[in-house]
Amino acid sequence: GSLMIFTIASKELKTLFASPLAWVVLTLTQIVTGYGFLKRLDDFMQIQPQLLRLPSPPGVTELVAAPTFATVAGVLLFAVPVLAMRLVSEERRNQTMVLLTSAPVSITEIVLGKFFGILLILLFIIVLALLMPLSLAGATRLDYGMLLSLTAGLALLAASFAAVSLYVSCLTVHPTAAAIGAFSTLLAMAFMGDAAGDGLRARGWHLPAALAQVLSPFKNFQPFGSGLIDTYAIACSLLLTCASLVLAIRRLDAIRLTG
């Protein structure tokens, strides 16, 4: 089973890297992240003399790395739907999904293979973002605990974005519709998740408010952004990722049955 998942994941990677789209997305992601990083670094250098007067001044990790990772989180909101849009919709449009589903491969293996294929690209983007602050290791003191927490938070965010986008790709045969649908869904989660949680909490409905956090990927990223490994945020991210993958599997199962 795991070998099949790996085979499908590597096929997805090859397909993505064979298209100019993935390269355009990767390039734009790097440009935006790199610019954000250098701008933050420049600002930090300018205020460093004032910071030195403080008893325990914030370092490069808090003032440069954390905002850079927050930038990547925002960029992923645009990048993931574009990278994931063709995962299933194009296979269905080209009728290759029929070949894939009639092969001796389970729907679960297909979905997980496609999910891990896109997740590997997203982890590559995250590693490139991590290398930026690490490049300063020789010149300044870095908070490695916080860098680890930022990386973990971003990986969980990327996984939930990928799973949601994969599910949306199962709902249509048009890749563009899949991209717009996934982006709209993630954007709604970004705005409504916070508001829904706060609104429910204000009414004293603490359990629904806690459950609303499952649907707020950015809210689950926040604690990691300040260096906290929040187990509830991890659980919420994993729950959203798993629920989306289960929905995708059920959706493709239904398609397989109806043809």
Side-chain angles (χ1 to χ4, degrees), residues 132-196:
M132 291 178 190
L134 285 180
S135 67
L136 305 171
T140 185
R141 197 167 51 81
L142 294 174
D143 179 343
Y144 290 102
M146 190 173 186
L147 281 178
L148 182 68
S149 129
L150 284 164
T151 308
L154 207 49
L156 286 165
L157 186 78
S160 55
F161 280 5
V164 170
S165 301
L166 172 61
Y167 170 58
V168 176
S169 185
C170 296
L171 301 177
T172 172
V173 291
H174 305 289
T176 316
I180 295 165
F183 174 67
S184 309
T185 307
L186 295 177
L187 201 60
M189 284 179 170
F191 287 115
M192 286 162 54
D194 263 4

Side-chain angles (χ1 to χ4, degrees), residues 45-60:
M45 301 298 269
Q46 286 178 5
I47 61 162
Q48 205 175 13
Q50 289 100 296
L51 290 174
L52 292 172
R53 294 183 202 133
L54 298 173
S56 54
V60 170

Side-chain angles (χ1 to χ4, degrees), residues 49-251:
Q50 289 100 296
L51 290 174
L52 292 172
R53 294 183 202 133
L54 298 173
S56 54
V60 170
T61 314
E62 289 101 316
L63 297 179
V64 180
T68 302
F69 273 74
T71 302
V72 179
V75 170
L76 289 179
L77 184 66
F78 296 90
V80 179
V82 174
L83 290 172
M85 68 181 184
R86 301 156 80 161
L87 284 176
V88 179
S89 56
E90 194 151 65
E91 297 244 17
R92 282 177 63 197
R93 196 173 60 172
N94 298 344
Q95 300 295 307
T96 45
M97 201 69 205
V98 179
L99 295 172
L100 199 54
T101 51
S102 57
V105 187
S106 75
I107 294 278
T108 307
E109 285 168 350
I110 293 170
V111 169
L112 290 178
K114 287 176 174 290
F115 169 71
F116 285 117
I118 188 164
L119 189 58
L120 283 169
I121 288 192
L122 301 178
L123 291 175
F124 176 61
I125 290 173
I126 293 168
V127 168
L128 290 177
L130 178 63
L131 290 175
M132 291 178 190
L134 285 180
S135 67
L136 305 171
T140 185
R141 197 167 51 81
L142 294 174
D143 179 343
Y144 290 102
M146 190 173 186
L147 281 178
L148 182 68
S149 129
L150 284 164
T151 308
L154 207 49
L156 286 165
L157 186 78
S160 55
F161 280 5
V164 170
S165 301
L166 172 61
Y167 170 58
V168 176
S169 185
C170 296
L171 301 177
T172 172
V173 291
H174 305 289
T176 316
I180 295 165
F183 174 67
S184 309
T185 307
L186 295 177
L187 201 60
M189 284 179 170
F191 287 115
M192 286 162 54
D194 263 4
D198 294 342
L200 292 166
R201 219 168 273 110
R203 289 208 173 97
W205 298 346
H206 291 289
L207 184 65
L211 291 174
Q213 195 176 324
V214 174
L215 297 172
S216 341
F218 281 113
K219 194 171 179 66
N220 293 317
F221 174 67
Q222 276 166 3
F224 293 97
S226 49
L228 293 171
I229 299 283
D230 181 337
T231 46
Y232 185 66
I234 294 173
C236 286
S237 296
L238 292 176
L239 196 58
L240 177 60
T241 304
C242 295
S244 301
L245 291 174
V246 168
L247 285 170
I249 291 164
R250 292 193 59 159
R251 173 79 186 139

